[in-house]
Amino acid sequence: MRILVLGFTGYLGGHVVERLRALPGARVLGGGRSRDADHHVDLATADPERLAKTLASAAPDAVVNCAGAVAGDIVTLAEVNARGPAVLCAALRSAAPAARLVHLGSAAEYGPGAPGVPVTESAPTSPVGPYGATKLAGTAAVTASGLDAVVLRVGNPVGPGAPATGLPGRVAAQLRDGGGVLRLGDLSAYRDFVDVRDVARAVELAVTAHGPLPPVLNVSGGAAVPVRDLVHGLAAAAGFQGRIEESVSGSARSARVSWQCSDITAAHEVLGWRPAHTLQESLRALWEDGRTP
């Protein structure tokens, strides 16, 4: 089985590649802007016809799109998260219409949640910022493509190698820098955290599943956890004995999305998937990983 992973050097992509390479008989190819890429692909600027030629040469049985931007101005987010999947789908229809596409979306596409009510895949989507909006546009391109495709709507990933663009990696970086005080913003929001290794396992199951899949599946921890608990849990894993100072102000998104949780029933029913790692295990793995986020 030939599997092309786009965004293979990123946080999610790296774990996905590691997981897929363990599949018997799998040939995993990396697509991206890296010099190490088997196929050079930049979805933000790719021409559909040229990308189709690249895909034809790769001859994939499955394509996993882990490419995405989580930060930057709205143009950057739109180019990668919205235009990218649309161009990819157009190229796949031309060059490899039978290939399965597994696209990584985001729970940010849902927007604010009602406390105590996990959102299902059929829930209305109302993202509050450019990131969620552009990810939702990418999902729309994939689900309307007519391809054998599934979008995995990923919660807040955590675990080994977490980058400093997200809270877990940023807190880990501060803890590694030392000091007796950890200064952070408002930590009162609730988020649904999922181990990055569990995300990779969900991708594996989606790639190898027989028959058509639903257009969207939630891949998350299935529980709303106070962000404050994550920070204190990571501090405990690091043996931090100092003081955690929390300001009354935080990000605009945290203020507008105070509670978020995904219903993961469908992923269990369709893929047989459920999280295998607890949040404590994820935080310990993040700290013990040793890589600078």
Side-chain angles (χ1 to χ4, degrees):
M1 184 179 197
R2 295 173 64 86
I3 308 169
L4 176 64
V5 180
L6 303 178
F8 74 107
T9 60
Y11 178 41
L12 295 177
H15 284 276
V16 166
V17 166
E18 182 179 2
R19 182 85 191 189
L20 293 177
R21 281 182 174 157
L23 280 173
R27 172 73 194 282
V28 180
L29 307 169
R33 294 175 294 181
S34 168
R35 288 183 179 179
D36 298 330
D38 297 292
H39 298 277
H40 185 271
V41 176
D42 182 355
L43 291 181
T45 60
D47 172 77
E49 292 185 3
R50 185 172 298 175
L51 180 56
K53 293 179 180 178
T54 299
L55 293 173
S57 67
D61 299 297
V63 175
V64 181
N65 184 26
C66 300
V70 297
D73 59 36
I74 190 168
V75 173
T76 299
L77 291 169
E79 286 174 341
V80 180
N81 298 339
R83 180 188 185 276
V87 172
L88 174 60
C89 289
L92 275 173
R93 283 195 301 269
S94 173
R100 168 160 292 170
L101 172 61
V102 179
H103 173 75
L104 298 190
S106 170
E109 298 169 34
Y110 288 118
V117 183
V119 292
T120 65
E121 291 83 354
S122 61
T125 50
S126 183
V128 300
Y131 171 69
T134 55
K135 290 296 289 184
L136 181 59
T139 288
V142 172
T143 57
S145 67
L147 296 166
D148 176 11
V150 60
V151 176
L152 303 183
R153 269 197 183 131
V154 179
N156 291 64
V158 62
T165 50
L167 180 66
R170 187 164 67 251
V171 172
Q174 291 185 40
L175 289 167
R176 295 188 201 284
D177 287 342
V181 181
L182 195 60
R183 294 182 174 88
L184 299 165
D186 179 21
L187 303 175
S188 63
Y190 284 69
R191 291 290 180 267
D192 192 345
F193 297 100
V194 60
D195 193 288
V196 64
R197 295 164 294 182
D198 285 328
V199 175
R201 185 165 52 87
V203 170
E204 175 196 343
L205 292 169
V207 165
T208 58
H210 297 290
L213 294 173
V216 178
L217 288 171
N218 289 335
V219 171
S220 204
V225 177
V227 175
R228 188 176 294 115
D229 287 2
L230 175 134
V231 171
H232 284 267
L234 187 51
F240 178 68
Q241 300 295 320
R243 187 171 72 255
I244 299 175
E245 291 186 356
E246 183 179 342
S247 73
V248 295
S249 61
S251 71
R253 180 173 179 272
S254 293
R256 297 172 67 184
V257 185
S258 61
W259 197 93
Q260 200 169 52
C261 181
S262 297
D263 187 319
I264 56 175
T265 303
H268 176 61
E269 292 176 345
V270 174
L271 299 178
W273 177 90
R274 59 172 42 134
H277 298 86
T278 66
L279 180 57
Q280 290 73 24
E281 290 169 342
S282 302
L283 296 174
R284 187 163 57 249
L286 166 56
W287 181 252
E288 294 176 352
D289 181 65
R291 284 175 282 183
T292 301

